[in-house]
Amino acid sequence: MYTISVINQKGGVGKTVTTVNLAAALKEQGHEPIVIDYDPQMNATDWLLGREATDEDDTIFDALATLDGEDADAFSLAHIVRTSDAVGVDFVPSDRRMAAASFDSVVGRSAVFPQQFRHRVQELRTAQVSTNSVSSKNYDYCLVDCPPSLGRSIATALAGSDGIIVPIHADRFSMRGVSQLQKTIKQIRQVHNDGLRILGLLPNNLDLRSGMVANMKDKFQEVYDDILFDTFIRWRSKINEAATHGKNIMEYDTDAADFYRSLAEEVTERAQIATAA
Ligand SMILES: Nc1ncnc2c1ncn2[C@@H]1O[C@H](COP(=O)(O)OP(=O)(O)OP(=O)(O)O)[C@@H](O)[C@H]1O
Ligand SMILES: [Mg+2]
């Protein structure tokens, strides 16, 4: 199983849309993806669950917080995974306790915590998962929808990931954000996970009719050519609609779905190359 965190410290750049739509595209192409919502905003959870989560729903926070306790098995990812009726992929919900403040107070051991997500992901690699709809599965891609931050919770997600996808807007501030992000990734590699790779930067929300955006696209290609995906996601109202109404983009709009089909192909190709390297 190849684990990919979708990150960017900037809010609203398309992390959640990328995570969910990429999962739907991978599923369509015969893969078995699982989405983990790591964001206390719970946007992916609402989308995939088709309703607001309640306290009854088991979440990624439960999985992390119980790791050293008697309940460790009951809250393994394999036991709390669900299947999304809306999008047809499996997922693990998030909850509000994933916000940084509670992270510190509940777990309180920064030296250990980065390993906990990794441990849960490792378990999932070998687990035969039972869900409501499928008796047993082996996931091949795990996609982690991260909150807009570069703080502690991101460090834990990255410590357990093989690759990173970074959705970005084509503007000058986003370019600055990328160098900040590269610094963080370097630190994570040194301290927690030397296998972590940037799978790619994914320009999102492009409106090429705007001359400024077209210029920025060229600039991105010049500066980040080695890590840029060939796939660019254009601005499409249907992408926003599918997210807002909790739909599967593959069924909702063919034109928009094609962006994610192309991304899924690139991701699988790059993940294989990264694994072989
Ligand atoms: N290519 C696109 N075309 C049209 N709308 C888009 C596109 N990408 C994202 N959006 C819309 O932009 C908004 C932000 O997207 P999204 O929630 O995926 O960003 P995010 O990075 O996950 O945000 P946050 O940092 O708050 O978690 C959403 O309303 C989404 O539907
Ligand atoms: Mg989001």
Side-chain angles (χ1 to χ4, degrees), residues 6 10-17 19 37 39 41-44 145-148:
V6 181
K10 254 174 94 81
V13 295
K15 294 179 287 297
T16 302
V17 160
T19 306
D37 188 358
D39 184 352
Q41 298 180 96
M42 302 168 69
N43 298 143
D145 183 23
C146 290

Side-chain angles (χ1 to χ4, degrees), residues 28-101:
E28 189 189 65
Q29 291 173 6
H31 293 283
E32 201 59 76
I34 177 170
V35 169
I36 297 180
D37 188 358
Y38 218 74
D39 184 352
Q41 298 180 96
M42 302 168 69
N43 298 143
T45 299
D46 291 348
W47 184 348
L48 294 167
L49 205 54
R51 60 167 169 82
E52 285 200 10
T54 69
D55 290 348
E56 305 296 305
D57 293 303
D58 297 330
T59 72
I60 181 67
F61 185 86
D62 294 316
L64 297 175
T66 55
L67 191 58
D68 294 332
E70 284 175 8
D71 288 344
D73 249 10
F75 289 100
S76 70
L77 298 180
H79 279 110
I80 64 174
V81 69
R82 0 242 308 203
T83 301
S84 166
D85 291 336
V87 182
V89 299
D90 285 5
F91 72 104
V92 174
S94 184
D95 77 52
R96 303 200 191 290
R97 291 172 296 167
M98 286 297 278

Side-chain angles (χ1 to χ4, degrees), residues 31-273:
H31 293 283
E32 201 59 76
I34 177 170
V35 169
I36 297 180
D37 188 358
Y38 218 74
D39 184 352
Q41 298 180 96
M42 302 168 69
N43 298 143
T45 299
D46 291 348
W47 184 348
L48 294 167
L49 205 54
R51 60 167 169 82
E52 285 200 10
T54 69
D55 290 348
E56 305 296 305
D57 293 303
D58 297 330
T59 72
I60 181 67
F61 185 86
D62 294 316
L64 297 175
T66 55
L67 191 58
D68 294 332
E70 284 175 8
D71 288 344
D73 249 10
F75 289 100
S76 70
L77 298 180
H79 279 110
I80 64 174
V81 69
R82 0 242 308 203
T83 301
S84 166
D85 291 336
V87 182
V89 299
D90 285 5
F91 72 104
V92 174
S94 184
D95 77 52
R96 303 200 191 290
R97 291 172 296 167
M98 286 297 278
S102 330
F103 246 97
D104 286 350
S105 63
V106 174
V107 180
R109 287 165 304 169
S110 55
V112 177
F113 196 52
Q115 307 311 326
Q116 294 189 315
F117 178 64
R118 177 157 48 195
H119 187 102
R120 285 305 199 187
V121 167
Q122 286 289 3
E123 286 176 349
L124 194 59
R125 275 180 218 275
T126 47
Q128 289 289 312
V129 180
S130 293
T131 65
N132 309 339
S133 60
V134 182
S135 57
S136 71
K137 287 184 195 174
N138 280 314
Y139 298 109
D140 53 0
Y141 286 93
C142 174
L143 304 180
V144 188
D145 183 23
C146 290
S149 133
L150 279 183
R152 273 248 191 96
S153 75
I154 301 297
T156 62
L158 296 186
S161 295
D162 303 298
I164 297 165
I165 294 177
V166 186
I168 35 170
H169 281 172
D171 61 42
R172 197 156 49 91
F173 299 119
S174 297
M175 277 191 108
R176 248 187 246 146
V178 173
S179 32
Q180 214 181 338
L181 212 136
Q182 283 175 314
K183 267 190 218 147
T184 303
I185 292 164
K186 197 171 161 193
Q187 283 168 356
I188 300 278
R189 277 203 198 109
Q190 283 166 349
V191 181
H192 299 299
N193 180 4
D194 62 358
L196 186 66
R197 298 268 173 284
I198 299 182
L199 274 190
L201 297 187
L202 178 70
N204 179 39
N205 247 326
L206 286 190
D207 180 1
L208 294 175
R209 290 166 306 181
S210 149
M212 195 194 78
V213 168
N215 284 345
M216 281 312 294
K217 178 175 169 257
D218 292 346
K219 185 91 184 154
F220 267 105
Q221 268 167 330
E222 204 180 295
V223 180
Y224 296 113
D225 189 39
D226 51 335
I227 47 173
L228 213 55
F229 280 111
D230 292 333
T231 306
F232 284 33
I233 314 281
R234 309 270 293 266
W235 182 88
R236 287 285 184 270
S237 59
K238 295 283 185 187
I239 292 179
N240 188 28
E241 274 175 36
T244 307
H245 303 308
K247 304 286 188 196
N248 180 347
I249 194 72
M250 296 297 122
E251 294 158 6
Y252 196 75
D253 186 71
T254 312
D255 174 47
D258 279 347
F259 295 131
Y260 295 100
R261 292 188 178 110
S262 156
L263 177 64
E265 279 164 19
E266 266 198 274
V267 165
T268 48
E269 199 176 299
R270 289 191 183 195
Q272 273 161 17
I273 293 168

